[in-house]
Amino acid sequence: MSSSHFQFKEHDAEGLETLQAIKEADAFNLWMYQQIAPFIKSPVLEIGSGIGNISECCMREGHDLIMTDIREEYLQFLKGRFPDVGHQIIQLDLVDVAFDERYKQYEGKFNTVFALNVIEHIEEDDKAIKNAIKLLAPGGILIILVPAHPLLYNKIDRHLFHFKRYTKSELKRLMQLNQLQLKTIQGFNALGIMAWVYGGHVARKGVIGGNDMKLYNKLVPIAKFLDKLFLRKLGLSLIAISHKKPN
C-alpha cells in the first residue's frame, strides 16, 4: 500500500516526535544497531541520521562516521548533540536532481553505507538505491532497513510519510536490479507487529509516543527471544545486506 500525496516538509513534527521517543529507548536502539554491526566497516556513511539515535551506537564502537540528513532542523540537532564531529555532519538528498555533481567528492569513498528507516520515505526508491551505491567503494556494503508487510500499512505509516511497506521479494528485487550482490534479507522485531497493529488501528493518536517506547524498551529481551524463535524470518522490519560488485 502506498500514497502519492505526500509533500516534503522542512519541519517534520511527527517524525521528530517519534525519533525523540525512540531516543529514550536505549536498549531498542542498541538491539537495532547490533543487527548491522557485524557488517560495518569504516569509513561509514549513515543516510538519514535523524537525531542520531543509531549514530551514537556506531561512533561508540569507534567507526569513522559521516552523518547525513535532508532536513536542516535535524542537521542542527546533530551538531548540537555531537559538537566534536560537526564537520562530519552534512546535508544529503538521495534523489537530488544534481546528485552526481553535488556529491562528487563522496563518490566511491565509503566501505559501508547504511539507511535505517529511510528508503520507505522516498517515492523514487530505485533512484535512491542507485545513488547510495555511487557512494560505496568497490566491494562496499549497503545496509537497508525498511518496514515490512504491506498489509500492516496504517495511520502510523501515513503520519510518518511512509510511501510503502516492503515484501521480502520486493526488497530482494530492488537490490538485484541495481547489480548488488545480496548477502541476506532477514526479519527484525517480530514482537513489534502487535504494537504496530494496536497503535495504527486501536490507539487514537496514531504516532509512537515516549511512554510507548519506554514500555517497549523493557520488552526488548522478549523481542530478541521471539526473533530467534522465528529464525528472523518474521519481523515488523526487513534488513537487507548487500555488496557492491568489485570493479
Side-chain angles (χ1 to χ4, degrees):
M1 185 171 184
S2 65
S3 171
S4 59
H5 303 294
F6 297 144
Q7 293 182 347
F8 177 78
K9 298 191 304 180
E10 179 56 45
H11 177 60
D12 178 24
E14 298 85 357
L16 182 58
E17 181 178 352
T18 298
L19 289 171
Q20 288 176 330
I22 295 173
K23 181 177 182 291
E24 305 303 319
D26 55 342
F28 179 79
N29 288 325
L30 180 58
W31 179 39
M32 181 183 291
Y33 176 73
Q34 287 171 340
Q35 308 310 299
I36 68 171
F39 306 99
I40 293 180
K41 297 178 182 178
S42 292
V44 185
L45 180 78
E46 179 185 15
I47 297 171
S49 301
I51 61 174
N53 294 334
I54 301 300
S55 318
E56 185 174 50
C57 297
C58 191
M59 287 190 290
R60 196 183 299 142
E61 287 204 337
H63 285 293
D64 178 13
L65 175 70
I66 297 290
M67 291 168 275
T68 78
D69 208 277
I70 190 173
R71 288 183 170 86
E72 183 63 32
E73 67 174 331
Y74 288 157
L75 296 174
Q76 293 308 314
F77 193 105
L78 290 168
K79 289 175 181 178
R81 184 173 180 179
F82 308 111
D84 295 338
V85 292
H87 62 288
Q88 293 179 241
I89 299 169
I90 65 171
Q91 190 168 40
L92 187 143
D93 179 358
L94 266 186
V95 290
D96 192 313
V97 293
F99 185 90
D100 291 349
E101 179 182 353
R102 187 160 293 171
Y103 305 109
K104 187 177 180 61
Q105 63 180 308
Y106 300 107
E107 184 178 341
K109 181 176 179 180
F110 300 97
N111 287 325
T112 308
V113 171
F114 70 84
L116 310 186
N117 291 313
V118 172
I119 301 301
E120 66 274 15
H121 294 277
I122 303 173
E123 188 169 15
E124 298 175 281
D125 54 358
D126 181 64
K127 182 178 180 180
I129 295 297
K130 280 182 169 63
N131 284 336
I133 293 169
K134 294 174 184 177
L135 306 175
L136 280 171
I141 300 168
L142 179 65
I143 302 171
I144 302 293
L145 183 148
V146 293
H149 308 299
L151 287 175
L152 292 179
Y153 193 99
N154 59 37
K155 62 185 175 183
I156 302 178
D157 292 284
R158 289 191 291 274
H159 287 166
L160 292 175
F161 299 93
H162 292 174
F163 280 97
K164 66 198 304 185
R165 302 185 69 89
Y166 290 78
T167 64
K168 187 174 289 188
S169 61
E170 186 176 17
L171 185 58
K172 180 179 179 179
R173 184 169 60 253
L174 186 61
M175 299 298 104
Q176 292 178 335
L177 283 175
N178 286 289
Q179 305 301 307
L180 288 162
Q181 295 176 330
L182 182 64
K183 181 176 178 63
T184 182
I185 295 182
Q186 62 184 36
F188 169 68
N189 190 18
L191 181 63
I193 292 174
M194 291 185 290
W196 198 265
V197 171
Y198 175 82
H201 295 287
V202 179
R204 291 184 178 181
K205 198 172 183 183
V207 296
I208 302 170
N211 290 334
D212 299 327
M213 284 309 303
K214 286 178 182 177
L215 173 60
Y216 201 80
N217 202 47
K218 296 177 181 178
L219 299 177
V220 166
I222 298 173
K224 288 182 177 180
F225 172 77
L226 286 178
D227 273 17
K228 290 181 180 178
L229 183 66
F230 291 124
L231 302 176
R232 295 179 174 83
K233 295 183 181 296
L234 177 67
L236 183 63
S237 302
L238 291 169
I239 301 174
I241 311 292
S242 304
H243 291 263
K244 180 177 181 178
K245 293 182 179 179
N247 289 340

